[in-house]
Amino acid sequence: HEMQKERGMTGGFLGSKGEKFKGELPAQRKDTDQRLATLQEALRSIDRSAYPAEVMQALDTAMKAVKELPGIRGGVDRLDISGPKAIGYFTDTIELLLGVGRQAKMLASDEGLARLFVTYSNFSLAKERVGVERAVLTNVFVIDKFNPELLARFLRNASSQDVYMHEFEATAMASQIELYKKTVVGREVEESARMKKIAQDGIDGRRLGVDAGHWFAMITAKINLLKVVEGKLADDVIHAAAQIRTGAQRSLYLFLVLGLVALIATGLLAYFMIRNILRQLGGEPAYAADIANQIANGDLTARVLVRDGDTTSLLASMKTMSEKLVAIVADVRGGSEQVGTASKQISEGNTNLSQRTQEQASALEETASSMEEQIGTASKQIAEGNTNLSQRTQEQASALEETASSME
């Protein structure tokens, strides 16, 4: 804003060959320098890594242009720089500074904040065009007519001013447009419009007859009203950003609290789960695994340590199992010994039985042999008896035949 005012005074100073604004211009330069010093101090404290490279590049370009200001001022004081060239420098530099704001709107991820930022940017650019208009027409009114270079700049600037105001009205909220209409009113606004109309009607090169000092005072008063609106629009952006920041902080705090609660809940759940697992195991998992391995390897001599009164844990069950396995093994071992004794007795009985069987078989063989001899003797005697009987029978038959023959 202060650089815009210096631009306007510089245009009038050069257009009047150093006669007009020679008292006001040095004071305005001090105001501009004070604002620039504040800006530079703020820039030294920012963290460049926190912003996109495009924003930092735009800022560096603008500040590089600002460093040329002392040289431009020297040319103005010596009157060896033209009004259009000086005005062009101020306009380009102000455009670069405003361009940083346009680049910064990329940081706004919230749709509402982005809209407010665009509205503010459009209005600032429209206000800048009014400032250019102040500088150009101040120069024109000093020389009392348009020259081709000033006319071309005036027409380009008027077109750009209309575009930015249209964009502002397209993006602004109803309350912001209402603020603009209620603020930018009054004698200064009407008088500025009247003198601008005279300039528009005099683009054919006629004499304009407008006091440059009066024009500068009236248009500056209008720009000050625009500055009030610009400040309100900036406040809207800052307020919205603060609300988003507050909401983000609240969300962060909420997430932190929820995260802490979840962490505590997880810790408690883990504690009770581990406690329950240890209670079910009856001791440390490594100890339970060691006991299980010993039992699996057949070592039933391991002593299983359990807490007093523990009858339900895994280790308690393993202890009971170990004790029962020991009892079963003892029973099996006793049964095996009994079976061994019985087997030995059976083996001995089988040996005796085999011996007696062999003895009885020998006796039977002897008996059979004796009986066979007796049967053979008896058979021989019977055969001999049968032979004798057959002979006697034959003899008796012969005797009967003889007796029969004699009886005949």
Side-chain angles (χ1 to χ4, degrees), residues 138-279:
T138 297
N139 203 343
V140 170
F141 291 146
V142 165
I143 62 177
D144 200 29
K145 65 177 181 179
F146 279 107
N147 62 33
E149 186 176 2
L150 289 174
L151 178 60
R153 185 176 291 273
F154 172 73
L155 293 176
R156 286 197 306 270
N157 183 74
S159 176
S160 298
Q161 183 181 158
D162 290 341
V163 170
Y164 284 123
M165 282 303 300
H166 175 74
E167 291 297 320
F168 161 72
E169 293 172 353
T171 59
M173 296 184 294
S175 59
Q176 293 173 325
I177 295 176
E178 186 66 21
L179 171 68
Y180 167 74
K181 291 180 178 179
K182 287 183 177 181
T183 303
V184 188
V185 293
R187 173 179 171 272
E188 295 85 355
V189 177
E190 294 172 358
E191 187 67 5
S192 298
R194 183 186 69 81
M195 289 183 280
K196 180 179 179 179
K197 181 68 168 55
I198 293 174
Q200 289 172 332
D201 293 340
I203 61 175
D204 55 1
R206 74 180 70 171
R207 295 290 176 177
L208 301 175
V210 176
D211 180 67
H214 180 61
W215 156 256
F216 188 87
M218 292 297 101
I219 194 63
T220 298
K222 177 184 176 180
I223 291 174
N224 288 337
L225 294 177
L226 293 173
K227 177 64 176 175
V228 172
V229 178
E230 184 182 40
K232 294 292 185 181
L233 296 178
D235 289 341
D236 289 342
V237 174
I238 294 171
H239 180 68
Q243 285 185 325
I244 293 173
R245 180 178 181 181
T246 301
Q249 288 178 338
R250 289 176 180 173
S251 298
L252 176 62
Y253 294 148
L254 177 61
F255 287 138
L256 288 176
V257 170
L258 292 177
L260 182 60
V261 170
L263 181 62
I264 293 174
T266 302
L268 290 174
L269 179 62
Y271 168 74
F272 286 113
M273 288 181 64
I274 293 173
R275 183 181 177 185
N276 185 50
I277 291 172
L278 291 176
R279 185 170 58 248

Side-chain angles (χ1 to χ4, degrees), residues 353-403:
L353 178 60
S354 175
Q355 185 177 357
R356 288 195 298 270
T357 301
Q358 289 179 356
E359 292 176 353
Q360 289 176 359
S362 298
L364 288 174
E365 288 179 358
E366 292 177 357
T367 302
S369 177
S370 176
M371 290 180 67
E372 186 178 350
E373 291 178 358
Q374 291 177 0
I375 291 172
T377 302
S379 297
K380 185 177 180 182
Q381 292 176 353
I382 291 172
E384 292 177 353
N386 289 333
T387 302
N388 294 329
L389 179 59
S390 175
Q391 291 177 353
R392 285 196 298 273
T393 302
Q394 290 179 354
E395 292 177 353
Q396 289 175 0
S398 298
L400 288 174
E401 289 179 355
E402 292 176 358
T403 300

Side-chain angles (χ1 to χ4, degrees), residues 274-343:
I274 293 173
R275 183 181 177 185
N276 185 50
I277 291 172
L278 291 176
R279 185 170 58 248
Q280 291 178 356
L281 289 177
E284 292 296 328
Y287 178 69
D290 183 59
I291 293 297
N293 287 331
Q294 292 184 49
I295 294 175
N297 292 329
D299 183 6
L300 302 179
T301 61
R303 186 181 174 211
V304 183
L305 300 177
V306 296
R307 294 187 298 269
D308 293 339
D310 182 7
T311 59
T312 60
S313 70
L314 176 63
L315 281 174
S317 298
M318 291 174 68
K319 180 180 180 181
T320 302
M321 179 182 69
S322 178
E323 292 173 349
K324 290 185 176 181
L325 285 174
V326 169
I328 292 172
V329 169
D331 291 342
V332 170
R333 184 176 296 170
S336 297
E337 291 177 354
Q338 291 177 357
V339 169
T341 302
S343 297

